[in-house]
Amino acid sequence: MLDRNKILEMLDKFSIPSNMIQRGMVGLQSFVKPMEIVLTQKKPPEIGWSDTQIRFFLEFLANLDSNHDPEAMQIGEREARISTPLLHEYTAGFIHGVGRSGNLKAPQPKAVGGSILNSLSDSFALYTLKKTGMKTLKGAMVVPMGTGMSIMLAIRGIMHQFPDMKSKTQLIFPRMDHKSPIKAIELTGLENIIVESSYGKQLLENYQSLKRNKLIYTHANFIEEHGTDAVYVPVQQIKQQINEKTFGILSTTSFFPPRAPDDIVGIAQLAKEQNIAHIINNGYGVQSKTLMNMIQEAIKEGRVDAIIQSTDKNFLTPVGGAIIASPNKELVNHTSEIYAGRASSSPILHFVVSLLSMGMKGFQEKLEFQKEHRALLEIELNKLAKILDERVLDVHNPVACMFSLSNLNETQIAALGGFLYNLRVTGPRVVNSTKTDFGTSTKGYPYPYIVVNAAIGAQKEDILEAVEKLEKAYRQVQEKFSK
Ligand SMILES: *Cc1c(COP(=O)(O)O)cnc(C)c1O
């Protein structure tokens, strides 16, 4: 990036001993060398960079954009003109955004640096997802929209890729209660065919009365593996919904308990056999080795068209981005081609900056901590459960634990979230399943409960204190609304 010989030649003109200059060059080299490596190898650095290095690198790229050329005559209707330098700061100088009207990933003539940043974000995404488990992935792109909007875009991308599927009008959606993917399906124009889930213990009981076959055996194992208090949508039930109008299936790996991950290997096999599309909502699943391995297995064993993951939930960026990945490079191209117009560079910048800052090593360390913290959360909640005569439900979610609220009445349950909020605990979800079923992803879940998370980036102290506060809030609502 910096021409060593040229610098030496310039510095030689100063009357400074050459051994001192050589020494100075060592420091300068170690500042810029990692940047050269990233630009050459197009993957995140192993060791994270300092903010000074990141700023320097971004300035370097941004100065390739035409709006930073002081001699340029700018007579277009848009020339990255901004009202205040503050906006330059907020965008790190990538004011042209990304993409051109016909393609989200096309290079922009006025934004050479921005285009490189855009391309770098995609290679970072592909590299990181392969490293964390999706070994045979072929394409990935960072999209400046959240998970739901990106699911919508990916589905439209598949429609663009397979024009002969035009007559297909239905999408099968194993029930999970989040409005974002539900609205995403609505936006695609496809009819949402929701497949109801069932309680794990109930399914196991039913299976015992049925004649054992391989399918039942496999699913019973799957339930044992992911927790008997979780809720499941058996692949058999999904299969029954397939008809000549079926476009595909939107499956889910990571969601709030009690929803278990879908049996995406089974669904992928089904999609392949039936020649229909399969989109995986992997919202916060990158942080789970189990889920990432499951996806890899699904890619190997069946059909997977697109896998969507949130950037903020997995990579510690501000909200606004997602990664659309695929074992099929064509899909990524089709998806970027149907994007309407230009887009903000910010979510892409945030993703690149976050990986530059953590480095692969820092990211892997955070994943390790997350696993430890999730285990710690369960231990602490189990202690609390003994004290309060409640139960940590048997749901093996990679980031969350589910805690029963069986000894609280309706009023107390309704008040618990607010009390926790006032104790400055944010993020837990209290669901009174006897009052409402939206949120439980099933019908008639037998226990009211609270879900507490230990996701990537959470600190050990957060977890210990949150469990303490849960005990406090639990007692406060019992006292305040005593029967
Ligand atoms: C967070 C989340 C969503 C919604 O994400 P948005 O970025 O707000 O659209 C959808 N599905 C799952 C599984 C999630 O975890």
Side-chain angles (χ1 to χ4, degrees), residues 435-452:
K435 275 206 77 177
T436 167
D437 76 28
F438 192 85
T440 68
S441 301
T442 195
K443 278 203 179 100
Y445 193 73
Y447 311 98
Y449 60 85
I450 179 168
V451 169
V452 190

Side-chain angles (χ1 to χ4, degrees), residues 95-167:
I95 302 165
H96 278 292
V98 291
R100 305 186 74 182
S101 49
N103 188 330
L104 182 59
K105 292 293 170 178
Q108 271 224 31
K110 289 179 189 171
V112 175
S115 305
I116 290 173
L117 183 80
N118 199 4
S119 155
L120 214 48
S121 73
D122 296 346
S123 344
F124 277 19
L126 182 60
Y127 182 83
T128 313
L129 293 179
K130 282 171 93 162
K131 258 296 199 248
T132 41
M134 297 184 202
K135 293 192 200 80
T136 55
L137 212 58
K138 288 292 184 304
M141 68 171 175
V142 183
V143 181
M145 298 192 302
T147 317
M149 290 302 280
S150 298
I151 289 172
M152 181 276 294
L153 194 69
I155 293 173
R156 297 297 311 196
I158 300 167
M159 290 177 171
H160 190 248
Q161 184 182 7
F162 301 106
D164 54 331
M165 287 177 91
K166 265 222 168 69
S167 60

Side-chain angles (χ1 to χ4, degrees), residues 146-149 176 178 180-181 252 254-255 281 283-284 312-313:
T147 317
M149 290 302 280
M176 61 82 93
H178 196 307
S180 161
T252 307
S254 57
F255 197 52
N281 177 0
Y284 52 84
D312 66 281
K313 287 181 193 163

Side-chain angles (χ1 to χ4, degrees), residues 1-2 31-45 49-65 92-94 113-114 116-121 124 348-349 352-357:
M1 232 158 98
L2 300 177
F31 184 76
V32 293
K33 189 78 193 164
M35 303 177 199
E36 292 174 359
I37 296 176
V38 161
L39 284 174
T40 315
Q41 301 183 345
K42 298 198 189 114
K43 59 180 201 189
W49 297 0
S50 68
D51 283 358
T52 321
Q53 280 174 304
I54 296 174
R55 279 207 188 90
F56 181 90
F57 183 68
L58 295 177
E59 275 304 326
F60 171 86
L61 288 183
N63 275 284
L64 293 163
D65 287 8
F94 299 101
I116 290 173
L117 183 80
N118 199 4
S119 155
L120 214 48
S121 73
F124 277 19
I348 284 150
L349 172 77
V352 171
V353 167
S354 195
L355 277 170
L356 289 176
S357 161

Side-chain angles (χ1 to χ4, degrees), residues 178-207:
H178 196 307
K179 286 187 184 149
S180 161
I182 293 172
K183 288 185 183 179
I185 298 171
E186 224 172 275
L187 280 175
T188 63
L190 293 169
E191 186 186 350
N192 184 357
I193 308 295
I194 296 179
V195 189
E196 192 52 69
S197 71
S198 309
Y199 183 42
K201 278 185 181 153
Q202 188 63 52
L203 282 168
L204 284 179
E205 221 167 86
N206 298 351
Y207 290 161

